Amino acid sequence: MSKKGNKTTEQQQYEKLEQKHELKRPVLKNCIRAFWVGGLICIIGQAITYFYIYFFNFTEQTAGNPTVATMIFISMLLTGFGVYDRLGQFAGAGSAVPVTGFGNAVISAAIEHRTEGFVLGVGGNMFKLAGSVILFGVFSAFVVALIKTLLIIWGVI
């Protein structure tokens, strides 16, 4: 290759051969799958919310916490049985809906490192990926609360 970045004829021929044999990704089909699976996960979450409201007398505001815990538990259980991984292969980003994706990330790291022991393997690696998510959430909540407190003190709200 020359200093200007021009490609030799051999490199150009190789690129043409590579493009000829490259598999085309079904982008539209993948987007539709992600949309439907992500939507289905959200419908299940809404059904669980209604379950808590109807059977346990939660309000719409208070039913969120047990719903999130239930969705994380279900995704962890499905990950443990290998079902969530197959769902992820099928749906792609649709299975990474934040709550269920978080549960999957936590339990996947724990399962992967279980041979190293419970403390160093599972405990030490379980929050590798999810730790940054937790840290970002806690820090963001702190900043928002600080801004709200300052606005209340200044009499803006």
Side-chain angles (χ1 to χ4, degrees):
M1 187 181 310
S2 68
K3 291 181 182 179
K4 293 182 180 180
N6 297 332
K7 296 179 180 170
T8 64
T9 55
E10 289 177 2
Q11 289 173 329
Q12 292 172 355
Q13 289 173 350
Y14 182 78
E15 278 187 3
K16 288 179 185 177
L17 179 68
E18 182 183 32
Q19 289 173 357
K20 179 181 169 186
H21 292 289
E22 183 180 356
L23 295 174
K24 304 296 182 219
R25 293 185 204 119
V27 176
L28 182 62
K29 186 169 106 175
N30 290 345
C31 288
I32 291 170
R33 283 180 177 178
F35 175 80
W36 283 107
V37 171
L40 181 64
I41 291 171
C42 291
I43 288 171
I44 292 169
Q46 192 65 45
I48 292 170
T49 299
Y50 287 145
F51 174 80
Y52 283 120
I53 290 171
Y54 184 75
F55 289 106
F56 295 103
N57 296 321
F58 281 93
T59 64
E60 286 187 25
Q61 290 78 23
T62 59
N65 290 338
T67 300
V68 168
T70 303
M71 291 296 289
I72 289 174
F73 177 76
I74 290 170
S75 69
M76 289 178 157
L77 195 63
L78 292 176
T79 300
F81 288 123
V83 175
Y84 205 88
D85 293 335
R86 283 184 261 143
L87 182 68
Q89 288 293 319
F90 174 78
S95 65
V97 174
V99 172
T100 56
F102 174 78
N104 180 304
V106 170
I107 202 70
S108 293
I111 290 170
E112 183 179 336
H113 294 92
R114 70 181 181 268
T115 57
E116 298 173 23
F118 286 118
V119 175
L120 295 176
V122 174
N125 293 300
M126 186 164 44
F127 293 108
K128 234 180 209 180
L129 176 64
S132 58
V133 175
I134 294 170
L135 176 66
F136 179 75
V138 170
F139 180 74
S140 299
F142 171 76
V143 170
V144 169
L146 182 64
I147 292 170
K148 183 178 179 183
T149 303
L150 290 174
L151 290 175
I152 289 172
I153 290 172
W154 294 334
V156 177
I157 54 174

